[in-house]
Amino acid sequence: MPSSAQDSSQPNRYQVPESLTGVVERITYHSEESGYTVARIQSPRVRELVTVVGNFANIQAGQTLQLKGVWKNHPQYGSQFEVQQYTETKPATLTGLEKYLGSGLIKGVGPVTAKRIVTHFGLETLDIIENQIERLIEVPGIAKKRVTLIHRAWAEQKAIKEVMVFLQEHGVSTIYAIKIFKQYGAKAIATVKDNPYQLADDIYGIGFLTADKIARNVGVSPWSKYRYRSGLLHILSQAAEDGHCFLPQPELMKLTAELLSVDGHEADLEAVSTIIDEMGQRQQLVVEEGEGGMPLCYKPSFAITEKHLAQLLQQLLIRPIAVDLLRVRNWIERFTQSRGIVLSSQQQQAVEMAARSRIMVLTGGPGTGKTFCTRTIVALWKAMGKKIGLAAPTGRAAQRIAEVTGLEAKTLHRMLEFDPATMGFKRDRDNPLPYDAIVVDETSMLDLFLAHSLLKAIAPEAQLLLVGDVDQLPSVGPGKVLADLINSEKIPVVRLEQVFRQAESSAIIRAAHSINRGEYPKLEPMSNNPQSDCLHHNGGTEPEHGVQVVCELISDLIPRLGFNPATDVQVLCPMIRGVVGTRNFNQVLQQLINPPSPDKPEVSRGGMIFRVGDRVIQLKNDYNREVFNGDLGVVAAIDAVEQELTICFDGRDVVYDYADLNEITLAWSISIHKSQGSEYPVVLLPIYMTHYVMLSRNLIYTGLTRAKKLAIIIGSNKAINMAIRQVNQQQRYTRLKERLGVKMIFNGNCSN
């Protein structure tokens, strides 16, 4: 192994890239989709075959490659050369030429034909094919038809090489170059030269910032209309990631101008305004008039979806249900007496309202009886002979409602039957859900688009019960659907407020309600023998001390209380970055809870190590695997030969190709946003002033209420107080509430 090779399983980030030239002997693995490759090459510098790993658009045995990269030492497979860039050169020997041509690179040329060609033309072979390919007819056994076939195949290979060389010369990384070539083929160079910002629209993983860097490298003007248009859409996309459905035009212009200003030259606000007008005329943007005449800018899909969702809700509201209320009350009385239970007045109201409402919202904090009330409503609907469907946004939330009601429950994506082929749901207005009544739990997690898909799929005569805690964080996606429905005062709502005696015995629940009222909760100070299920450890003001405290709790107190750190504890953070952010915590906790071991295979990707036994979280909806954003799993196996990693999600094994590992990340610590819809036996909640931009009342309330048996808040009183006082941090630009207050004309077309 070269002296520069590292003893770690990860390459040193400060390691200077080296060059390596060699002939590809064989391909161990190659992903057509991502280009990720494991190959063996023969290099004059190294006595034995070298294993190279990296991303290649097209690679064949016999190719001579010039590689740039770093050496690393894999714990299982030894020395490997991790390729960062590569170029292809012509084979320098007759044997190399034969292997190259006969590798399958050119359709119509196998090993036998390759030997004949090289025997005839010698070292001039590639020049002949490049410039005088018609001369191949001189080779015995090659007919004119075969020459035409070889010519076409060689031209295709040449196009691939030209595209890859062009993109790499202009600073495009190999992995992005491969994605660009696979998207555009031979048109890749023309597309990048003409409008590199098209890449941000067409290719997952290439956003505005990457496209902008490519554009600068190929000489696109900073004042290009393409750049302005792409910048506007990027700002709106960023706003959507923050939960907004639109931006007021002055705010959109200000943020876009800041983004587009380069090298001390400020972007032209007038030009930004002109682009907004042009995009509005071309229906690439929807500009609506808001309060006081303020222009509001939507991406078209957001405006259409928000309007249509309001229309669908209004259509449910105008269809009354005839019900014998006296009969319902008699049933409730018999049901409660037979079980020796008593409904509160609010719960009684909720059950009666569910009997006669086409759509209804049931909300309330922890311990107020939402679960019991939902179970009673489901029992009533069963007694009324209704076919009932149960769903929730996440698998764990669906599992909980199934346990409560005794009926099957599904995630919303499964209930609506997502079709990966069309990237849409099979259930819609033309193919509605086969239920008379539907319960959806954890509806604070419903974003604009999922809520719209749900409402589209409800049969005209069906009923819908939306259950959720409106005081929790809003959805990760755009919108604040549950809050807008409640605040519109158009949808029937029952808010349960009475905390029941049994629930009041939990300090977690008492603290949650105090926080919700804007009061500092009564928390038991940390001790060796805690008597409460809700504790406070004053972890000082320094974030580094907070990390130390978390590690000490996991190593000492948590096991003494009978909890398993590997399965029962979840660290929830307000942010990803920083010392007390999820990223740093995951590295620290992985080393603490699941350290490296010879019997634990591992793989390194993107500066992160995944090891058998690691807890991981899915970062995006993957409909083919039926794994969704926020799903938690455990790495069950790693197969370095097949380049696959197996993750167990709630008893179901799901296989990932190494190329898809950007869909997951470690989950010893996750953000509070990602924890929505889940519960954990133990929650550790570090709250520090370094999080001040994210601190809010519903953030700490949501994090605290994820704990089932024990919650420990770590941090200063100042940071906790700040979070409790902040109630306006999660304001979002939406207009669903306003649209529900507007009388709409129904055109009967609700399938769009």
Side-chain angles (χ1 to χ4, degrees), residues 45 83 157 234 237 351 386 500 516 555 570 666 678 751:
R45 286 180 49 192
V83 179
Q157 291 301 316
H234 174 71
S237 295
V351 178
K386 295 181 181 292
F500 288 89
N516 218 13
S555 300
Q570 186 64 63
L666 292 173
S678 296
S751 60

Side-chain angles (χ1 to χ4, degrees), residues 272-531:
V272 175
S273 178
T274 300
I275 292 291
I276 289 175
D277 291 341
E278 290 179 2
M279 291 176 70
Q281 292 167 10
R282 295 174 183 171
Q283 299 182 328
Q284 296 170 333
L285 206 64
V286 173
V287 182
E288 292 187 354
E289 187 175 305
E291 292 183 13
M294 172 66 72
L296 311 175
C297 299
Y298 284 84
K299 281 188 173 182
S301 60
F302 285 71
I304 293 167
T305 302
E306 195 176 69
K307 288 177 185 176
H308 196 226
L309 174 57
Q311 184 179 13
L312 292 167
L313 288 163
Q314 289 187 341
Q315 287 180 327
L316 280 179
L317 291 170
I318 62 174
R319 295 195 186 96
I321 295 176
V323 66
D324 185 339
L325 199 54
L326 180 60
R327 192 175 175 187
V328 169
R329 286 171 178 161
N330 288 337
W331 179 90
I332 294 172
E333 185 177 355
R334 292 194 306 273
F335 180 82
T336 53
Q337 285 180 353
S338 67
R339 286 160 177 77
I341 55 178
V342 178
L343 295 178
S344 69
S345 59
Q346 290 175 334
Q347 289 177 322
Q348 176 88 16
Q349 178 193 6
V351 178
E352 291 181 13
M353 188 177 287
R356 65 179 189 270
S357 298
R358 190 71 67 187
I359 180 172
M360 169 190 156
V361 170
L362 176 65
T363 190
T368 57
K370 289 196 308 296
T371 298
F372 176 72
C373 197
T374 301
R375 185 166 56 203
T376 306
I377 290 170
V378 169
L380 169 63
W381 278 346
K382 283 180 69 177
M384 295 171 75
K386 295 181 181 292
K387 185 177 180 182
I388 300 167
L390 304 175
T394 68
R396 294 196 173 192
Q399 187 178 342
R400 283 203 310 274
I401 193 173
E403 291 167 355
V404 165
T405 60
L407 299 177
E408 181 190 14
K410 301 177 180 178
T411 64
L412 278 167
H413 286 86
R414 288 199 178 101
M415 175 182 270
L416 296 172
E417 298 177 22
F418 187 85
D419 182 6
T422 62
M423 295 302 288
F425 294 105
K426 292 180 181 178
R427 294 292 179 177
D428 56 17
R429 230 27 182 181
D430 298 324
N431 181 32
L433 292 165
Y435 304 114
D436 305 307
I438 297 168
V439 180
V440 180
D441 199 10
E442 295 288 355
T443 50
S444 62
M445 298 178 68
L446 276 183
D447 66 21
L448 173 69
F449 292 98
L450 189 54
H452 179 246
S453 296
L454 170 66
L455 267 293
K456 274 204 305 183
I458 293 174
E461 301 306 316
Q463 292 176 263
L464 176 62
L465 172 64
L466 300 173
V467 183
D469 185 347
V470 73
D471 295 316
Q472 288 187 24
L473 288 168
S475 57
V476 174
K480 48 184 175 69
V481 174
L482 183 61
D484 281 346
L485 296 187
I486 293 171
N487 295 333
S488 74
E489 300 183 354
K490 300 295 180 183
I491 309 293
V493 176
V494 174
R495 180 161 190 153
L496 303 178
E497 295 175 325
Q498 178 184 339
V499 180
F500 288 89
R501 188 178 305 165
Q502 184 179 359
E504 256 191 331
S505 66
S506 166
I508 294 173
I509 290 177
R510 294 198 304 271
H513 284 280
S514 294
I515 289 169
N516 218 13
R517 293 191 297 268
E519 303 167 359
Y520 196 95
K522 292 180 180 178
L523 303 170
E524 180 182 322
M526 204 62 229
S527 66
N528 287 328
N529 298 293
Q531 304 301 307

Side-chain angles (χ1 to χ4, degrees), residues 20 78 93 286 476 644 716:
L20 183 71
T93 66
V286 173
V476 174
E644 291 177 344
S716 67

Side-chain angles (χ1 to χ4, degrees), residues 214-275:
I214 295 170
R216 287 198 301 273
N217 286 334
V218 299
V220 174
S221 166
W223 320 121
S224 161
K225 284 188 176 183
Y226 292 134
R227 184 169 187 263
Y228 273 56
R229 174 189 169 277
S230 185
L232 277 163
L233 293 177
H234 174 71
I235 293 297
L236 285 175
S237 295
Q238 281 193 318
E241 289 180 9
D242 292 333
H244 302 300
C245 294
F246 65 87
L247 284 178
Q249 184 165 322
E251 188 170 340
L252 174 61
M253 290 176 61
K254 175 178 175 291
L255 293 171
T256 303
E258 290 174 358
L259 174 71
L260 297 178
S261 296
V262 291
D263 301 328
H265 298 289
E266 293 188 5
D268 186 346
L269 278 174
E270 189 176 330
V272 175
S273 178
T274 300
I275 292 291

